[in-house]
Amino acid sequence: MTTVIGGTGLPPCHYAGTVNVVDKKAGRGPVISLLISARSHDSALGMPCNLAAYGYFLHVLSAITGFALGDILFFSHDTHLYLNHIDPIKAILDRPVRPDPSFRWIRKPESIDDLRMDDFVVEGYDPHPFVKLPVAV
């Protein structure tokens, strides 16, 4: 049985993460990647936020170590889309694709304790209008 932590209502979804470094991939030197494991994953509400957060974390690890950016691999035992999210997600998927934004360091941190919010910028972020998705649990 999974334990619920501090009155959160649900047990933690993400339970393990692995940092992998491969040396000299395609002539780039060491490459750092993340593997994340989850017991459960909400495709509509969790996935976009989780990928952005882990993407930022991978950029931080790359900056601190000097290793080239690799991949984020996400493994979920139960990836799901709730019924009350289907119509809003269909509407989102019908939108035209916009160019991906880019991440740029203004000042690379020397350690994780040295991070500041003004150390980086996200450029070219052009989001579509907000779509309200109800929490399904």
Side-chain angles (χ1 to χ4, degrees):
M1 181 171 173
T2 306
T3 303
V4 175
I5 297 174
T8 59
L10 292 171
C13 294
H14 303 197
Y15 65 85
T18 302
V19 176
N20 185 44
V21 177
V22 177
D23 194 25
K24 298 183 181 175
K25 184 177 181 180
R28 296 189 297 168
V31 177
I32 191 166
S33 297
L34 291 176
L35 168 69
I36 307 300
S37 297
R39 67 160 186 87
S40 179
H41 204 231
D42 180 338
S43 296
L45 290 174
M47 189 179 302
C49 179
N50 296 151
L51 289 177
Y54 287 124
Y56 172 67
F57 183 56
L58 186 57
H59 275 276
V60 169
L61 293 176
S62 172
I64 291 169
T65 62
F67 299 159
L69 286 170
D71 300 310
I72 298 172
L73 307 169
F74 197 98
F75 176 79
S76 172
H77 294 274
D78 177 12
T79 299
H80 45 272
L81 180 64
Y82 293 105
L83 291 175
N84 60 345
H85 291 168
I86 290 175
D87 288 337
I89 292 300
K90 283 181 180 178
I92 289 170
L93 291 173
D94 284 341
R95 295 173 169 182
V97 176
R98 293 186 176 169
D100 290 334
S102 61
F103 180 98
R104 183 174 56 85
W105 287 107
I106 295 169
R107 182 193 71 92
K108 287 191 178 182
E110 293 182 23
S111 75
I112 203 160
D113 295 324
D114 186 37
L115 285 171
R116 298 188 317 243
M117 284 301 295
D118 58 352
D119 284 343
F120 67 94
V121 293
V122 176
E123 298 173 322
Y125 180 57
D126 183 21
H128 287 282
F130 178 79
V131 173
K132 175 87 170 148
L133 293 169
V135 175
V137 177

